[in-house]
């Protein structure tokens, strides 16, 4: 399986958000962001699983 390549737009967005995260010093803000990212990650896994299952039917 080939690795999933990010588009140029995704790479730009990733770099921009990485820099934004690097400037955050508020621990509470980082905690909330981490929780939001964890939820988004799990939702993406669920969407991928649903898409893969629908391909099998």
């Amino acid at each position: 399986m080939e690795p999933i390549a990010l588009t140029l737009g995704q790479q730009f967005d990733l770099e921009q958000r990485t820099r934004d995260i690097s400037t955050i010093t508020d621990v509470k803000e980082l905690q909330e962001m981490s929780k939001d990212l964890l939820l988004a990650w799990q939702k993406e896994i669920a969407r991928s699983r649903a898409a893969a299952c629908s391909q099998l039917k």
Side-chain angles (χ1 to χ4, degrees):
M1 177 190 263
E2 291 184 34
I4 298 172
L6 299 177
T7 66
L8 185 58
Q10 288 173 310
Q11 291 175 22
F12 179 81
D13 191 45
L14 179 61
E15 180 62 29
Q16 183 178 18
R17 292 178 190 272
T18 297
R19 290 179 186 195
D20 290 344
I21 290 169
S22 294
T23 65
I24 298 173
T25 58
D26 182 355
V27 172
K28 292 290 182 193
E29 187 176 355
L30 286 169
Q31 288 173 333
E32 288 303 312
M33 185 180 295
S34 296
K35 291 174 187 177
D36 291 344
L37 289 170
L38 181 60
L39 178 59
W41 176 40
Q42 292 303 314
K43 285 182 176 182
E44 182 60 30
I45 290 170
R47 280 191 293 273
S48 297
R49 187 180 306 119
C53 286
S54 70
Q55 293 279 331
L56 298 174
K57 293 180 181 182

